[in-house]
Amino acid sequence: MEPLNQKSLERAVSQKALQMGSSFPCQICVVGFLCGVCLTSLFLATLTSFGTFEFGGFSFSTISEGASAGNSSSEIINMVAGTNCSFKPIIRTESIVDSLRSEEMINNESVSLLYSAWSALLTESESGESDDLQRLGVSTSRVPNAPHLENCKLKTRVNEPLDKRAENETYPPWTSWKGLLAKYPAAATNEHQATSEGAYAPWITGSDEENYPLTRKVQRDIWMHQHPLNCRDPSVKFLVADWERLPGFGIGAQIAGMCGLLAIAINEKRVLVTNYYNRADHDGCKDSSRSSWSCYFFPETSQECRDRAFELMGSEEAWKKGTIKAKESYNSKQIWAGPTPRIWGDPWNHLQPTTDINGSLVAYHRKMDRRWWRAQAVRYLMRFQTEYTCGLLNVARHMAFGKEAANMVVTTFEGKWPKVCWTYIPSALFFLQDRGKQTIMLYN
């Protein structure tokens, strides 16, 4: 009987288990448990089998199982720091596929980095690399040249000899090439002096047809007038004038007034020396260039003539003899509507008509001579930019065209300009790292 009762009990238990197993909640639990075991086994087997594998053009690296969380993080950083790019780690909870950046976005980051590097170079201090450039992690030697920016120091160094008389020469070295080649002049010959006498000012560009009539000759003659051989010669006279400083006068009115004073100086055979200039009265203009036109452009005359003129201003005898005069010696009509110098004839008569009145070009009018002269005077006063003005123009060009230039350089540059490498470490993987398991790092 005992075996019969035992079999009945087993049959009853089996039927009860079958009923419980056929319930829907139990089936869900069993299936979920089995799937979890399978996925975990497959994932761990893959990590332990391969040290590095590639997927979709990206490389997945693993860190040894025995490494601690702190050591794993440092190894990750060192691994990426060894590459030739700027490392920017980003932790995200999205999947690896969703974290991949497009090539266009990476290119935009490289453009922004180059634009920022150029911006830092514009503010670079004389003592060395700027702090901004160091924070970007880029050295000056690795930054490509900016096609829209000028080398202001080199440009000033090239122009300075062209605004001074050569040693024992009547004219500056205007017959040489305008550039560093001027430091290696040709062998001296008897023809050098003859050609120098016919040399023209190097700040005039383009052909004669592209400039006002007689521009090259007039610019040369104005320079010679403003730079006498001996400023202490008793026959040399001066006109010292401040720039207009009344609140209602803008830069255009100031320049127009100075053009009139230069015309007076040439007509009276005086050397014009400009004095106080309110628009240069700020901290950007250093040392002797403060409150002076020479902060922005090369001075209107030599330093020797400036020193001599200011010396004569303290001499009563010089004022009585008329060796020196000031702007106050002339009325406003003489300054603003005075006669144009006629030592070059009437070259404005050869100008093409440019004045449009009611749809018709006027070939001649009473102010053509004034227009021609102001163009000559302004061209002389602004013949060479200073390093400070060059820097201001660089900043303006960079703001206007910097991003476009950076994009052009990044897309065509064949050097080693770093690309920004974005590293994505999904936060889910830190769960494995915290337990001493292998950690996956994704890097470009």
Side-chain angles (χ1 to χ4, degrees):
M1 287 297 293
E2 184 175 351
L4 182 60
N5 293 335
Q6 184 176 2
K7 289 181 179 180
S8 299
L9 179 60
E10 290 177 353
R11 187 180 298 109
V13 170
S14 298
Q15 291 177 354
K16 189 65 176 177
L18 182 61
Q19 292 176 358
M20 293 177 63
S22 62
S23 64
F24 184 75
C26 184
Q27 292 176 357
I28 292 297
C29 294
V30 173
V31 172
F33 175 78
L34 294 177
C35 291
V37 171
C38 294
L39 290 176
T40 303
S41 301
L42 178 63
F43 184 71
L44 294 178
T46 303
L47 291 180
T48 55
S49 300
F50 302 97
T52 302
F53 62 95
E54 295 185 356
F55 176 76
F58 288 84
S59 176
F60 295 81
S61 298
T62 60
I63 299 175
S64 61
E65 195 170 309
S68 63
N71 292 336
S72 299
S73 300
S74 61
E75 290 181 20
I76 291 174
I77 295 175
N78 292 336
M79 186 183 304
V80 179
T83 62
N84 293 327
C85 63
S86 301
F87 172 56
K88 297 186 178 181
I90 291 183
I91 300 173
R92 293 202 175 177
T93 58
E94 295 89 351
S95 64
I96 295 177
V97 176
D98 294 336
S99 300
L100 298 179
R101 276 204 158 194
S102 65
E103 184 66 24
E104 180 180 358
M105 299 180 70
I106 295 177
N107 181 74
N108 291 339
E109 293 298 335
S110 298
V111 170
S112 297
L113 179 62
L114 181 56
Y115 177 82
S116 300
W118 284 342
S119 300
L121 287 177
L122 287 176
T123 59
E124 185 177 4
S125 62
E126 297 179 358
S127 58
E129 292 187 358
S130 65
D131 295 337
D132 294 337
L133 198 61
Q134 292 179 359
R135 281 194 291 269
L136 291 173
V138 181
S139 61
T140 304
S141 59
R142 295 189 62 190
V143 180
N145 292 330
H148 62 300
L149 302 180
E150 291 184 316
N151 188 332
C152 296
K153 292 183 179 179
L154 178 61
K155 183 178 180 180
T156 304
R157 186 158 55 92
V158 168
N159 289 334
E160 282 179 348
L162 301 178
D163 202 54
K164 297 179 181 178
R165 295 182 185 274
E167 186 177 359
N168 299 326
E169 292 285 347
T170 304
Y171 284 78
W174 290 345
T175 54
S176 301
W177 287 94
K178 184 182 178 182
L180 295 178
L181 189 60
K183 294 183 177 295
Y184 305 94
T189 62
N190 295 331
E191 299 178 357
H192 178 67
Q193 182 65 28
T195 56
S196 296
E197 293 179 357
Y200 290 128
W203 55 86
I204 302 301
T205 58
S207 63
D208 291 337
E209 289 76 11
E210 295 174 313
N211 294 279
Y212 273 6
L214 294 184
T215 291
R216 296 180 186 275
K217 175 176 174 55
V218 172
Q219 293 297 309
R220 180 190 65 186
D221 292 345
I222 294 177
W223 192 95
M224 297 299 297
H225 172 86
Q226 288 291 113
H227 295 78
L229 283 172
N230 183 10
C231 295
R232 293 191 172 273
D233 191 312
S235 63
V236 178
K237 299 179 181 180
F238 299 94
L239 169 58
V240 180
D242 291 342
W243 292 76
E244 296 289 348
R245 65 178 77 183
L246 295 177
F249 286 89
I251 181 62
Q254 288 179 313
I255 292 178
M258 194 54 64
C259 291
L261 289 168
L262 181 58
I264 293 174
I266 291 179
N267 286 330
E268 296 185 1
K269 295 182 173 53
R270 296 180 181 274
V271 176
L272 175 65
V273 178
T274 64
N275 197 5
Y276 179 76
Y277 183 47
N278 59 350
R279 297 180 184 273
D281 191 3
H282 54 79
D283 295 336
C285 299
K286 307 296 184 181
D287 303 329
S288 60
S289 68
R290 178 154 189 165
S291 304
S292 174
W293 178 255
S294 61
C295 177
Y296 299 104
F297 298 95
F298 279 25
E300 69 288 341
T301 187
S302 63
Q303 187 61 44
E304 293 78 12
C305 285
R306 291 181 62 85
D307 294 340
R308 178 57 177 169
F310 294 142
E311 179 184 335
L312 291 175
M313 289 185 70
S315 172
E316 294 184 4
E317 183 180 359
W319 286 99
K320 291 179 181 180
K321 290 183 177 181
T323 305
I324 187 168
K325 284 187 177 182
K327 183 176 66 175
E328 291 72 20
S329 303
Y330 307 93
N331 56 45
S332 59
K333 183 178 180 180
Q334 291 175 297
I335 296 175
W336 296 95
T340 298
R342 303 277 175 162
I343 58 177
W344 300 287
D346 301 326
W348 47 86
N349 290 334
H350 303 285
L351 289 174
Q352 292 293 327
T354 57
T355 304
D356 185 350
I357 299 179
N358 296 329
S360 300
L361 290 176
V362 179
Y364 178 82
H365 54 81
R366 290 186 303 158
K367 295 183 179 180
M368 290 186 65
D369 59 337
R370 192 178 305 171
R371 177 183 296 178
W372 177 87
W373 168 246
R374 285 182 178 176
Q376 300 299 333
V378 170
R379 193 68 192 92
Y380 173 77
L381 292 173
M382 297 183 177
R383 62 193 183 281
F384 289 131
Q385 300 170 3
T386 61
E387 185 176 339
Y388 177 68
T389 301
C390 177
L392 294 178
L393 293 177
N394 272 347
V395 172
R397 281 191 293 264
H398 189 57
M399 293 179 62
F401 314 113
K403 288 291 181 68
E404 182 179 352
N407 182 68
M408 180 184 67
V409 170
V410 167
T411 54
T412 60
F413 187 61
E414 297 181 356
K416 295 183 178 180
W417 176 246
K419 287 188 175 181
V420 179
C421 298
W422 294 88
T423 302
Y424 299 92
I425 306 178
S427 59
L429 299 182
F430 281 89
F431 176 82
L432 299 178
Q433 183 185 26
D434 293 340
R435 285 159 176 72
K437 302 297 182 180
Q438 295 176 333
T439 301
I440 293 179
M441 184 186 71
L442 171 65
Y443 62 93
N444 193 352

